[in-house]
Amino acid sequence: MQRIAAVDIGTVTMRVLIADVDEWGTISELHRDICLTHIGKDLSRTGKLSDEGMQTAFAAWERFAIAIEEYHPEKVVCVATSAARDAQNSDEFLMGLLARGLEVHIISGDREALLSFRGATYQRNAHDLLVIDPGGGSTECIFSPDGRDESALIMRSLNIGSRRLTDMFLHEPLATIEEITATRNFIADMFTPFFDMLPVSPCELVAMAGTATTLVTIRDAMDEYDPQLVQGQRVSAAELDEMVKRLAGLTIEERKSIVGLEPKRADVILAGVLIIAEILRITGLSELTISDYDILYGIILSADLF
């Protein structure tokens, strides 16, 4: 048995999972926490991580560190993804965290995709499976034509995420038809080449991370997040379309009152749902599966590689 603390620093969120993993790869969760930092806000315009977001992340790590000290993991693995990969001031951010006791690994898009795939396929069949990890700064697509044979995976990490698309397209207090159409067209143009190269069509689509799980918490009006009620839930194309209409008809302030939506995600949730809805449309599937098992599980299962 090994105890691991996994920390994921994304464009919108910073999360920690502390868990035990046994010799058969079975994960037993002990503690999880999340903070919405938005370190990637305006990154497309400024080229830099947000000062406010970095300060929020520093405070989040200090909170996470208290739990880590309590559980005494044998190893702490922290990865940073899209925003940290692209920002001009990433070194400043990483040095700030290192000064507070956290060493961060900035990982490539391909490595992020692989870790996401390992998390999403934890304890499940992976044949002809398409896994997507729609984050704030990038979206990873991983197609598995041959089950768990990682050498056969077809992976792509694209700089399309809920934070980036919001900053690029969704500027009005109420999203306009023109903004939504432009966003959808951009997503389709960016993702279609990936699907064109697949040898066969996916039999199933699995989506993970905050936007994906929020589809369930909004639909089911969850006052409090429960991983067991989210894992494996299915969301139909019709439900996605209804959610787009609902979100587009509300201002950001009005969205904050939606049960099941974290208020700090209110400004980026529409773009995130559009990403998932457009990918589902391209696949031709009628529904997708939501996975609470994500890159954090992938980090836990791959801790020995860091």
Side-chain angles (χ1 to χ4, degrees), residues 12-13 34-36 38 210 214 217-218 222-223 252 255-269:
V12 171
T13 62
I34 183 173
C35 177
L36 277 80
H38 289 280
T214 297
T217 58
I218 290 178
M222 288 187 185
D223 286 317
I252 293 173
R255 291 178 201 164
K256 291 179 180 179
S257 65
I258 296 176
V259 178
L261 176 62
E262 163 58 50
K264 290 184 179 179
R265 201 183 289 276
D267 60 335
V268 298
I269 186 61

mmCIF file with all atom_site columns, all heavy atoms in Angstrom, residues 12-13 34-36 38 210 214 217-218 222-223 252 255-269:
data_model
loop_
_atom_site.group_PDB
_atom_site.id
_atom_site.type_symbol
_atom_site.label_atom_id
_atom_site.label_alt_id
_atom_site.label_comp_id
_atom_site.label_asym_id
_atom_site.label_entity_id
_atom_site.label_seq_id
_atom_site.pdbx_PDB_ins_code
_atom_site.Cartn_x
_atom_site.Cartn_y
_atom_site.Cartn_z
_atom_site.occupancy
_atom_site.B_iso_or_equiv
_atom_site.pdbx_formal_charge
_atom_site.auth_seq_id
_atom_site.auth_comp_id
_atom_site.auth_asym_id
_atom_site.auth_atom_id
_atom_site.pdbx_PDB_model_num
ATOM 1   N N   . VAL A 1 12  ? -8.314  26.912 -14.630 1.00 0.00 ? 12  VAL A N   1
ATOM 2   C CA  . VAL A 1 12  ? -9.408  27.437 -13.817 1.00 0.00 ? 12  VAL A CA  1
ATOM 3   C C   . VAL A 1 12  ? -9.340  26.942 -12.383 1.00 0.00 ? 12  VAL A C   1
ATOM 4   O O   . VAL A 1 12  ? -9.604  27.698 -11.444 1.00 0.00 ? 12  VAL A O   1
ATOM 5   C CB  . VAL A 1 12  ? -10.771 27.053 -14.444 1.00 0.00 ? 12  VAL A CB  1
ATOM 6   C CG1 . VAL A 1 12  ? -11.929 27.405 -13.507 1.00 0.00 ? 12  VAL A CG1 1
ATOM 7   C CG2 . VAL A 1 12  ? -10.948 27.738 -15.787 1.00 0.00 ? 12  VAL A CG2 1
ATOM 8   N N   . THR A 1 13  ? -8.976  25.674 -12.180 1.00 0.00 ? 13  THR A N   1
ATOM 9   C CA  . THR A 1 13  ? -9.036  25.079 -10.847 1.00 0.00 ? 13  THR A CA  1
ATOM 10  C C   . THR A 1 13  ? -7.679  24.573 -10.373 1.00 0.00 ? 13  THR A C   1
ATOM 11  O O   . THR A 1 13  ? -6.774  24.301 -11.169 1.00 0.00 ? 13  THR A O   1
ATOM 12  C CB  . THR A 1 13  ? -10.016 23.892 -10.812 1.00 0.00 ? 13  THR A CB  1
ATOM 13  O OG1 . THR A 1 13  ? -9.555  22.875 -11.710 1.00 0.00 ? 13  THR A OG1 1
ATOM 14  C CG2 . THR A 1 13  ? -11.413 24.325 -11.199 1.00 0.00 ? 13  THR A CG2 1
ATOM 15  N N   . ILE A 1 34  ? -10.774 21.408 -3.547  1.00 0.00 ? 34  ILE A N   1
ATOM 16  C CA  . ILE A 1 34  ? -10.699 22.148 -4.799  1.00 0.00 ? 34  ILE A CA  1
ATOM 17  C C   . ILE A 1 34  ? -10.761 23.642 -4.520  1.00 0.00 ? 34  ILE A C   1
ATOM 18  O O   . ILE A 1 34  ? -11.412 24.075 -3.556  1.00 0.00 ? 34  ILE A O   1
ATOM 19  C CB  . ILE A 1 34  ? -11.850 21.733 -5.746  1.00 0.00 ? 34  ILE A CB  1
ATOM 20  C CG1 . ILE A 1 34  ? -11.744 22.456 -7.096  1.00 0.00 ? 34  ILE A CG1 1
ATOM 21  C CG2 . ILE A 1 34  ? -13.198 21.989 -5.105  1.00 0.00 ? 34  ILE A CG2 1
ATOM 22  C CD1 . ILE A 1 34  ? -12.746 21.969 -8.133  1.00 0.00 ? 34  ILE A CD1 1
ATOM 23  N N   . CYS A 1 35  ? -10.078 24.408 -5.350  1.00 0.00 ? 35  CYS A N   1
ATOM 24  C CA  . CYS A 1 35  ? -10.155 25.865 -5.294  1.00 0.00 ? 35  CYS A CA  1
ATOM 25  C C   . CYS A 1 35  ? -10.197 26.386 -6.729  1.00 0.00 ? 35  CYS A C   1
ATOM 26  O O   . CYS A 1 35  ? -9.371  25.992 -7.553  1.00 0.00 ? 35  CYS A O   1
ATOM 27  C CB  . CYS A 1 35  ? -8.952  26.453 -4.561  1.00 0.00 ? 35  CYS A CB  1
ATOM 28  S SG  . CYS A 1 35  ? -8.938  28.274 -4.520  1.00 0.00 ? 35  CYS A SG  1
ATOM 29  N N   . LEU A 1 36  ? -11.150 27.231 -7.041  1.00 0.00 ? 36  LEU A N   1
ATOM 30  C CA  . LEU A 1 36  ? -11.201 27.851 -8.358  1.00 0.00 ? 36  LEU A CA  1
ATOM 31  C C   . LEU A 1 36  ? -10.328 29.103 -8.341  1.00 0.00 ? 36  LEU A C   1
ATOM 32  O O   . LEU A 1 36  ? -10.665 30.100 -7.706  1.00 0.00 ? 36  LEU A O   1
ATOM 33  C CB  . LEU A 1 36  ? -12.636 28.191 -8.752  1.00 0.00 ? 36  LEU A CB  1
ATOM 34  C CG  . LEU A 1 36  ? -13.413 27.006 -9.351  1.00 0.00 ? 36  LEU A CG  1
ATOM 35  C CD1 . LEU A 1 36  ? -13.934 26.089 -8.261  1.00 0.00 ? 36  LEU A CD1 1
ATOM 36  C CD2 . LEU A 1 36  ? -14.556 27.488 -10.224 1.00 0.00 ? 36  LEU A CD2 1
ATOM 37  N N   . HIS A 1 38  ? -8.674  30.504 -11.362 1.00 0.00 ? 38  HIS A N   1
ATOM 38  C CA  . HIS A 1 38  ? -8.707  31.254 -12.628 1.00 0.00 ? 38  HIS A CA  1
ATOM 39  C C   . HIS A 1 38  ? -7.341  31.888 -12.927 1.00 0.00 ? 38  HIS A C   1
ATOM 40  O O   . HIS A 1 38  ? -7.265  33.043 -13.340 1.00 0.00 ? 38  HIS A O   1
ATOM 41  C CB  . HIS A 1 38  ? -9.795  32.327 -12.604 1.00 0.00 ? 38  HIS A CB  1
ATOM 42  C CG  . HIS A 1 38  ? -11.195 31.770 -12.655 1.00 0.00 ? 38  HIS A CG  1
ATOM 43  N ND1 . HIS A 1 38  ? -11.796 31.362 -13.824 1.00 0.00 ? 38  HIS A ND1 1
ATOM 44  C CD2 . HIS A 1 38  ? -12.093 31.527 -11.664 1.00 0.00 ? 38  HIS A CD2 1
ATOM 45  C CE1 . HIS A 1 38  ? -13.014 30.913 -13.564 1.00 0.00 ? 38  HIS A CE1 1
ATOM 46  N NE2 . HIS A 1 38  ? -13.219 30.986 -12.262 1.00 0.00 ? 38  HIS A NE2 1
ATOM 47  N N   . GLY A 1 210 ? -14.083 19.310 -14.313 1.00 0.00 ? 210 GLY A N   1
ATOM 48  C CA  . GLY A 1 210 ? -15.099 20.148 -13.699 1.00 0.00 ? 210 GLY A CA  1
ATOM 49  C C   . GLY A 1 210 ? -16.306 20.469 -14.549 1.00 0.00 ? 210 GLY A C   1
ATOM 50  O O   . GLY A 1 210 ? -17.444 20.401 -14.072 1.00 0.00 ? 210 GLY A O   1
ATOM 51  N N   . THR A 1 214 ? -20.040 19.046 -13.724 1.00 0.00 ? 214 THR A N   1
ATOM 52  C CA  . THR A 1 214 ? -21.038 20.085 -13.472 1.00 0.00 ? 214 THR A CA  1
ATOM 53  C C   . THR A 1 214 ? -22.299 19.858 -14.292 1.00 0.00 ? 214 THR A C   1
ATOM 54  O O   . THR A 1 214 ? -23.390 20.272 -13.892 1.00 0.00 ? 214 THR A O   1
ATOM 55  C CB  . THR A 1 214 ? -20.445 21.482 -13.760 1.00 0.00 ? 214 THR A CB  1
ATOM 56  O OG1 . THR A 1 214 ? -19.354 21.718 -12.862 1.00 0.00 ? 214 THR A OG1 1
ATOM 57  C CG2 . THR A 1 214 ? -21.474 22.590 -13.541 1.00 0.00 ? 214 THR A CG2 1
ATOM 58  N N   . THR A 1 217 ? -24.277 17.858 -11.840 1.00 0.00 ? 217 THR A N   1
ATOM 59  C CA  . THR A 1 217 ? -24.701 18.564 -10.625 1.00 0.00 ? 217 THR A CA  1
ATOM 60  C C   . THR A 1 217 ? -25.757 19.620 -10.926 1.00 0.00 ? 217 THR A C   1
ATOM 61  O O   . THR A 1 217 ? -26.658 19.852 -10.119 1.00 0.00 ? 217 THR A O   1
ATOM 62  C CB  . THR A 1 217 ? -23.495 19.205 -9.911  1.00 0.00 ? 217 THR A CB  1
ATOM 63  O OG1 . THR A 1 217 ? -22.831 20.119 -10.792 1.00 0.00 ? 217 THR A OG1 1
ATOM 64  C CG2 . THR A 1 217 ? -22.509 18.144 -9.458  1.00 0.00 ? 217 THR A CG2 1
ATOM 65  N N   . ILE A 1 218 ? -25.685 20.249 -12.116 1.00 0.00 ? 218 ILE A N   1
ATOM 66  C CA  . ILE A 1 218 ? -26.735 21.194 -12.510 1.00 0.00 ? 218 ILE A CA  1
ATOM 67  C C   . ILE A 1 218 ? -28.013 20.443 -12.843 1.00 0.00 ? 218 ILE A C   1
ATOM 68  O O   . ILE A 1 218 ? -29.099 20.783 -12.366 1.00 0.00 ? 218 ILE A O   1
ATOM 69  C CB  . ILE A 1 218 ? -26.289 22.056 -13.709 1.00 0.00 ? 218 ILE A CB  1
ATOM 70  C CG1 . ILE A 1 218 ? -25.195 23.041 -13.304 1.00 0.00 ? 218 ILE A CG1 1
ATOM 71  C CG2 . ILE A 1 218 ? -27.488 22.828 -14.270 1.00 0.00 ? 218 ILE A CG2 1
ATOM 72  C CD1 . ILE A 1 218 ? -24.672 23.884 -14.460 1.00 0.00 ? 218 ILE A CD1 1
ATOM 73  N N   . MET A 1 222 ? -27.763 19.290 -7.463  1.00 0.00 ? 222 MET A N   1
ATOM 74  C CA  . MET A 1 222 ? -27.040 18.824 -6.283  1.00 0.00 ? 222 MET A CA  1
ATOM 75  C C   . MET A 1 222 ? -26.572 20.003 -5.435  1.00 0.00 ? 222 MET A C   1
ATOM 76  O O   . MET A 1 222 ? -25.795 20.843 -5.890  1.00 0.00 ? 222 MET A O   1
ATOM 77  C CB  . MET A 1 222 ? -25.812 18.007 -6.694  1.00 0.00 ? 222 MET A CB  1
ATOM 78  C CG  . MET A 1 222 ? -26.115 16.659 -7.266  1.00 0.00 ? 222 MET A CG  1
ATOM 79  S SD  . MET A 1 222 ? -24.573 15.715 -7.513  1.00 0.00 ? 222 MET A SD  1
ATOM 80  C CE  . MET A 1 222 ? -25.223 14.257 -8.317  1.00 0.00 ? 222 MET A CE  1
ATOM 81  N N   . ASP A 1 223 ? -27.044 20.048 -4.204  1.00 0.00 ? 223 ASP A N   1
ATOM 82  C CA  . ASP A 1 223 ? -26.586 21.090 -3.281  1.00 0.00 ? 223 ASP A CA  1
ATOM 83  C C   . ASP A 1 223 ? -25.120 20.872 -2.895  1.00 0.00 ? 223 ASP A C   1
ATOM 84  O O   . ASP A 1 223 ? -24.386 21.829 -2.653  1.00 0.00 ? 223 ASP A O   1
ATOM 85  C CB  . ASP A 1 223 ? -27.443 21.094 -2.006  1.00 0.00 ? 223 ASP A CB  1
ATOM 86  C CG  . ASP A 1 223 ? -28.818 21.686 -2.262  1.00 0.00 ? 223 ASP A CG  1
ATOM 87  O OD1 . ASP A 1 223 ? -28.899 22.710 -2.957  1.00 0.00 ? 223 ASP A OD1 1
ATOM 88  O OD2 . ASP A 1 223 ? -29.807 21.115 -1.777  1.00 0.00 ? 223 ASP A OD2 1
ATOM 89  N N   . ILE A 1 252 ? -24.119 36.266 -16.053 1.00 0.00 ? 252 ILE A N   1
ATOM 90  C CA  . ILE A 1 252 ? -23.196 35.572 -15.154 1.00 0.00 ? 252 ILE A CA  1
ATOM 91  C C   . ILE A 1 252 ? -23.702 35.634 -13.719 1.00 0.00 ? 252 ILE A C   1
ATOM 92  O O   . ILE A 1 252 ? -23.671 34.626 -12.993 1.00 0.00 ? 252 ILE A O   1
ATOM 93  C CB  . ILE A 1 252 ? -21.779 36.164 -15.266 1.00 0.00 ? 252 ILE A CB  1
ATOM 94  C CG1 . ILE A 1 252 ? -21.192 35.855 -16.653 1.00 0.00 ? 252 ILE A CG1 1
ATOM 95  C CG2 . ILE A 1 252 ? -20.868 35.607 -14.172 1.00 0.00 ? 252 ILE A CG2 1
ATOM 96  C CD1 . ILE A 1 252 ? -19.876 36.535 -16.920 1.00 0.00 ? 252 ILE A CD1 1
ATOM 97  N N   . ARG A 1 255 ? -26.488 33.171 -13.296 1.00 0.00 ? 255 ARG A N   1
ATOM 98  C CA  . ARG A 1 255 ? -26.016 31.788 -13.272 1.00 0.00 ? 255 ARG A CA  1
ATOM 99  C C   . ARG A 1 255 ? -25.517 31.384 -11.886 1.00 0.00 ? 255 ARG A C   1
ATOM 100 O O   . ARG A 1 255 ? -25.589 30.211 -11.512 1.00 0.00 ? 255 ARG A O   1
ATOM 101 C CB  . ARG A 1 255 ? -24.875 31.598 -14.279 1.00 0.00 ? 255 ARG A CB  1
ATOM 102 C CG  . ARG A 1 255 ? -25.281 31.673 -15.731 1.00 0.00 ? 255 ARG A CG  1
ATOM 103 C CD  . ARG A 1 255 ? -24.051 31.520 -16.612 1.00 0.00 ? 255 ARG A CD  1
ATOM 104 N NE  . ARG A 1 255 ? -24.273 32.070 -17.948 1.00 0.00 ? 255 ARG A NE  1
ATOM 105 C CZ  . ARG A 1 255 ? -23.312 32.352 -18.794 1.00 0.00 ? 255 ARG A CZ  1
ATOM 106 N NH1 . ARG A 1 255 ? -22.041 32.154 -18.447 1.00 0.00 ? 255 ARG A NH1 1
ATOM 107 N NH2 . ARG A 1 255 ? -23.577 32.838 -19.980 1.00 0.00 ? 255 ARG A NH2 1
ATOM 108 N N   . LYS A 1 256 ? -25.001 32.329 -11.130 1.00 0.00 ? 256 LYS A N   1
ATOM 109 C CA  . LYS A 1 256 ? -24.434 32.013 -9.819  1.00 0.00 ? 256 LYS A CA  1
ATOM 110 C C   . LYS A 1 256 ? -25.470 31.439 -8.857  1.00 0.00 ? 256 LYS A C   1
ATOM 111 O O   . LYS A 1 256 ? -25.108 30.813 -7.860  1.00 0.00 ? 256 LYS A O   1
ATOM 112 C CB  . LYS A 1 256 ? -23.785 33.263 -9.209  1.00 0.00 ? 256 LYS A CB  1
ATOM 113 C CG  . LYS A 1 256 ? -22.530 33.706 -9.928  1.00 0.00 ? 256 LYS A CG  1
ATOM 114 C CD  . LYS A 1 256 ? -21.936 34.959 -9.302  1.00 0.00 ? 256 LYS A CD  1
ATOM 115 C CE  . LYS A 1 256 ? -20.680 35.402 -10.036 1.00 0.00 ? 256 LYS A CE  1
ATOM 116 N NZ  . LYS A 1 256 ? -20.099 36.641 -9.463  1.00 0.00 ? 256 LYS A NZ  1
ATOM 117 N N   . SER A 1 257 ? -26.729 31.646 -9.148  1.00 0.00 ? 257 SER A N   1
ATOM 118 C CA  . SER A 1 257 ? -27.785 31.128 -8.263  1.00 0.00 ? 257 SER A CA  1
ATOM 119 C C   . SER A 1 257 ? -28.259 29.743 -8.673  1.00 0.00 ? 257 SER A C   1
ATOM 120 O O   . SER A 1 257 ? -29.123 29.163 -8.003  1.00 0.00 ? 257 SER A O   1
ATOM 121 C CB  . SER A 1 257 ? -28.973 32.098 -8.244  1.00 0.00 ? 257 SER A CB  1
ATOM 122 O OG  . SER A 1 257 ? -29.578 32.171 -9.522  1.00 0.00 ? 257 SER A OG  1
ATOM 123 N N   . ILE A 1 258 ? -27.717 29.181 -9.754  1.00 0.00 ? 258 ILE A N   1
ATOM 124 C CA  . ILE A 1 258 ? -28.127 27.851 -10.194 1.00 0.00 ? 258 ILE A CA  1
ATOM 125 C C   . ILE A 1 258 ? -27.640 26.812 -9.188  1.00 0.00 ? 258 ILE A C   1
ATOM 126 O O   . ILE A 1 258 ? -26.459 26.759 -8.858  1.00 0.00 ? 258 ILE A O   1
ATOM 127 C CB  . ILE A 1 258 ? -27.547 27.520 -11.587 1.00 0.00 ? 258 ILE A CB  1
ATOM 128 C CG1 . ILE A 1 258 ? -28.109 28.464 -12.651 1.00 0.00 ? 258 ILE A CG1 1
ATOM 129 C CG2 . ILE A 1 258 ? -27.856 26.069 -11.963 1.00 0.00 ? 258 ILE A CG2 1
ATOM 130 C CD1 . ILE A 1 258 ? -27.497 28.257 -14.032 1.00 0.00 ? 258 ILE A CD1 1
ATOM 131 N N   . VAL A 1 259 ? -28.548 25.990 -8.712  1.00 0.00 ? 259 VAL A N   1
ATOM 132 C CA  . VAL A 1 259 ? -28.177 24.913 -7.797  1.00 0.00 ? 259 VAL A CA  1
ATOM 133 C C   . VAL A 1 259 ? -27.316 23.899 -8.550  1.00 0.00 ? 259 VAL A C   1
ATOM 134 O O   . VAL A 1 259 ? -27.668 23.459 -9.646  1.00 0.00 ? 259 VAL A O   1
ATOM 135 C CB  . VAL A 1 259 ? -29.427 24.217 -7.225  1.00 0.00 ? 259 VAL A CB  1
ATOM 136 C CG1 . VAL A 1 259 ? -29.017 23.056 -6.317  1.00 0.00 ? 259 VAL A CG1 1
ATOM 137 C CG2 . VAL A 1 259 ? -30.290 25.217 -6.463  1.00 0.00 ? 259 VAL A CG2 1
ATOM 138 N N   . GLY A 1 260 ? -26.177 23.551 -7.963  1.00 0.00 ? 260 GLY A N   1
ATOM 139 C CA  . GLY A 1 260 ? -25.274 22.611 -8.594  1.00 0.00 ? 260 GLY A CA  1
ATOM 140 C C   . GLY A 1 260 ? -24.143 23.253 -9.362  1.00 0.00 ? 260 GLY A C   1
ATOM 141 O O   . GLY A 1 260 ? -23.239 22.546 -9.831  1.00 0.00 ? 260 GLY A O   1
ATOM 142 N N   . LEU A 1 261 ? -24.170 24.576 -9.497  1.00 0.00 ? 261 LEU A N   1
ATOM 143 C CA  . LEU A 1 261 ? -23.099 25.286 -10.192 1.00 0.00 ? 261 LEU A CA  1
ATOM 144 C C   . LEU A 1 261 ? -22.271 26.079 -9.191  1.00 0.00 ? 261 LEU A C   1
ATOM 145 O O   . LEU A 1 261 ? -22.812 26.941 -8.480  1.00 0.00 ? 261 LEU A O   1
ATOM 146 C CB  . LEU A 1 261 ? -23.666 26.233 -11.249 1.00 0.00 ? 261 LEU A CB  1
ATOM 147 C CG  . LEU A 1 261 ? -22.647 27.123 -11.986 1.00 0.00 ? 261 LEU A CG  1
ATOM 148 C CD1 . LEU A 1 261 ? -21.642 26.279 -12.757 1.00 0.00 ? 261 LEU A CD1 1
ATOM 149 C CD2 . LEU A 1 261 ? -23.347 28.106 -12.929 1.00 0.00 ? 261 LEU A CD2 1
ATOM 150 N N   . GLU A 1 262 ? -20.982 25.779 -9.118  1.00 0.00 ? 262 GLU A N   1
ATOM 151 C CA  . GLU A 1 262 ? -20.078 26.558 -8.290  1.00 0.00 ? 262 GLU A CA  1
ATOM 152 C C   . GLU A 1 262 ? -20.058 27.994 -8.827  1.00 0.00 ? 262 GLU A C   1
ATOM 153 O O   . GLU A 1 262 ? -19.765 28.226 -10.002 1.00 0.00 ? 262 GLU A O   1
ATOM 154 C CB  . GLU A 1 262 ? -18.668 25.950 -8.350  1.00 0.00 ? 262 GLU A CB  1
ATOM 155 C CG  . GLU A 1 262 ? -17.544 26.836 -7.882  1.00 0.00 ? 262 GLU A CG  1
ATOM 156 C CD  . GLU A 1 262 ? -17.710 27.305 -6.450  1.00 0.00 ? 262 GLU A CD  1
ATOM 157 O OE1 . GLU A 1 262 ? -17.954 26.451 -5.586  1.00 0.00 ? 262 GLU A OE1 1
ATOM 158 O OE2 . GLU A 1 262 ? -17.595 28.535 -6.223  1.00 0.00 ? 262 GLU A OE2 1
ATOM 159 N N   . PRO A 1 263 ? -20.412 28.996 -8.006  1.00 0.00 ? 263 PRO A N   1
ATOM 160 C CA  . PRO A 1 263 ? -20.514 30.370 -8.500  1.00 0.00 ? 263 PRO A CA  1
ATOM 161 C C   . PRO A 1 263 ? -19.269 30.877 -9.219  1.00 0.00 ? 263 PRO A C   1
ATOM 162 O O   . PRO A 1 263 ? -19.380 31.635 -10.192 1.00 0.00 ? 263 PRO A O   1
ATOM 163 C CB  . PRO A 1 263 ? -20.789 31.172 -7.218  1.00 0.00 ? 263 PRO A CB  1
ATOM 164 C CG  . PRO A 1 263 ? -21.495 30.207 -6.324  1.00 0.00 ? 263 PRO A CG  1
ATOM 165 C CD  . PRO A 1 263 ? -20.851 28.874 -6.593  1.00 0.00 ? 263 PRO A CD  1
ATOM 166 N N   . LYS A 1 264 ? -18.086 30.452 -8.782  1.00 0.00 ? 264 LYS A N   1
ATOM 167 C CA  . LYS A 1 264 ? -16.864 30.929 -9.428  1.00 0.00 ? 264 LYS A CA  1
ATOM 168 C C   . LYS A 1 264 ? -16.641 30.293 -10.803 1.00 0.00 ? 264 LYS A C   1
ATOM 169 O O   . LYS A 1 264 ? -15.719 30.685 -11.520 1.00 0.00 ? 264 LYS A O   1
ATOM 170 C CB  . LYS A 1 264 ? -15.663 30.654 -8.521  1.00 0.00 ? 264 LYS A CB  1
ATOM 171 C CG  . LYS A 1 264 ? -15.635 31.523 -7.278  1.00 0.00 ? 264 LYS A CG  1
ATOM 172 C CD  . LYS A 1 264 ? -14.385 31.279 -6.451  1.00 0.00 ? 264 LYS A CD  1
ATOM 173 C CE  . LYS A 1 264 ? -14.348 32.163 -5.214  1.00 0.00 ? 264 LYS A CE  1
ATOM 174 N NZ  . LYS A 1 264 ? -13.136 31.920 -4.391  1.00 0.00 ? 264 LYS A NZ  1
ATOM 175 N N   . ARG A 1 265 ? -17.493 29.345 -11.165 1.00 0.00 ? 265 ARG A N   1
ATOM 176 C CA  . ARG A 1 265 ? -17.424 28.744 -12.496 1.00 0.00 ? 265 ARG A CA  1
ATOM 177 C C   . ARG A 1 265 ? -18.473 29.358 -13.429 1.00 0.00 ? 265 ARG A C   1
ATOM 178 O O   . ARG A 1 265 ? -18.560 28.990 -14.612 1.00 0.00 ? 265 ARG A O   1
ATOM 179 C CB  . ARG A 1 265 ? -17.640 27.225 -12.388 1.00 0.00 ? 265 ARG A CB  1
ATOM 180 C CG  . ARG A 1 265 ? -17.112 26.417 -13.558 1.00 0.00 ? 265 ARG A CG  1
ATOM 181 C CD  . ARG A 1 265 ? -17.429 24.932 -13.406 1.00 0.00 ? 265 ARG A CD  1
ATOM 182 N NE  . ARG A 1 265 ? -16.667 24.293 -12.361 1.00 0.00 ? 265 ARG A NE  1
ATOM 183 C CZ  . ARG A 1 265 ? -15.436 23.824 -12.503 1.00 0.00 ? 265 ARG A CZ  1
ATOM 184 N NH1 . ARG A 1 265 ? -14.824 23.953 -13.668 1.00 0.00 ? 265 ARG A NH1 1
ATOM 185 N NH2 . ARG A 1 265 ? -14.803 23.250 -11.501 1.00 0.00 ? 265 ARG A NH2 1
ATOM 186 N N   . ALA A 1 266 ? -19.254 30.301 -12.929 1.00 0.00 ? 266 ALA A N   1
ATOM 187 C CA  . ALA A 1 266 ? -20.400 30.813 -13.678 1.00 0.00 ? 266 ALA A CA  1
ATOM 188 C C   . ALA A 1 266 ? -20.005 31.489 -14.988 1.00 0.00 ? 266 ALA A C   1
ATOM 189 O O   . ALA A 1 266 ? -20.742 31.412 -15.984 1.00 0.00 ? 266 ALA A O   1
ATOM 190 C CB  . ALA A 1 266 ? -21.199 31.791 -12.819 1.00 0.00 ? 266 ALA A CB  1
ATOM 191 N N   . ASP A 1 267 ? -18.853 32.146 -15.014 1.00 0.00 ? 267 ASP A N   1
ATOM 192 C CA  . ASP A 1 267 ? -18.492 32.880 -16.232 1.00 0.00 ? 267 ASP A CA  1
ATOM 193 C C   . ASP A 1 267 ? -17.969 31.983 -17.341 1.00 0.00 ? 267 ASP A C   1
ATOM 194 O O   . ASP A 1 267 ? -18.029 32.346 -18.520 1.00 0.00 ? 267 ASP A O   1
ATOM 195 C CB  . ASP A 1 267 ? -17.471 33.975 -15.917 1.00 0.00 ? 267 ASP A CB  1
ATOM 196 C CG  . ASP A 1 267 ? -16.177 33.442 -15.330 1.00 0.00 ? 267 ASP A CG  1
ATOM 197 O OD1 . ASP A 1 267 ? -16.195 32.347 -14.728 1.00 0.00 ? 267 ASP A OD1 1
ATOM 198 O OD2 . ASP A 1 267 ? -15.133 34.122 -15.457 1.00 0.00 ? 267 ASP A OD2 1
ATOM 199 N N   . VAL A 1 268 ? -17.466 30.786 -17.006 1.00 0.00 ? 268 VAL A N   1
ATOM 200 C CA  . VAL A 1 268 ? -16.861 29.924 -18.024 1.00 0.00 ? 268 VAL A CA  1
ATOM 201 C C   . VAL A 1 268 ? -17.683 28.681 -18.349 1.00 0.00 ? 268 VAL A C   1
ATOM 202 O O   . VAL A 1 268 ? -17.337 27.947 -19.278 1.00 0.00 ? 268 VAL A O   1
ATOM 203 C CB  . VAL A 1 268 ? -15.435 29.491 -17.597 1.00 0.00 ? 268 VAL A CB  1
ATOM 204 C CG1 . VAL A 1 268 ? -14.534 30.704 -17.455 1.00 0.00 ? 268 VAL A CG1 1
ATOM 205 C CG2 . VAL A 1 268 ? -15.454 28.663 -16.318 1.00 0.00 ? 268 VAL A CG2 1
ATOM 206 N N   . ILE A 1 269 ? -18.765 28.443 -17.627 1.00 0.00 ? 269 ILE A N   1
ATOM 207 C CA  . ILE A 1 269 ? -19.480 27.173 -17.783 1.00 0.00 ? 269 ILE A CA  1
ATOM 208 C C   . ILE A 1 269 ? -20.122 27.052 -19.156 1.00 0.00 ? 269 ILE A C   1
ATOM 209 O O   . ILE A 1 269 ? -20.153 25.958 -19.753 1.00 0.00 ? 269 ILE A O   1
ATOM 210 C CB  . ILE A 1 269 ? -20.539 26.990 -16.663 1.00 0.00 ? 269 ILE A CB  1
ATOM 211 C CG1 . ILE A 1 269 ? -21.180 25.604 -16.743 1.00 0.00 ? 269 ILE A CG1 1
ATOM 212 C CG2 . ILE A 1 269 ? -21.584 28.089 -16.705 1.00 0.00 ? 269 ILE A CG2 1
ATOM 213 C CD1 . ILE A 1 269 ? -20.209 24.463 -16.579 1.00 0.00 ? 269 ILE A CD1 1
#
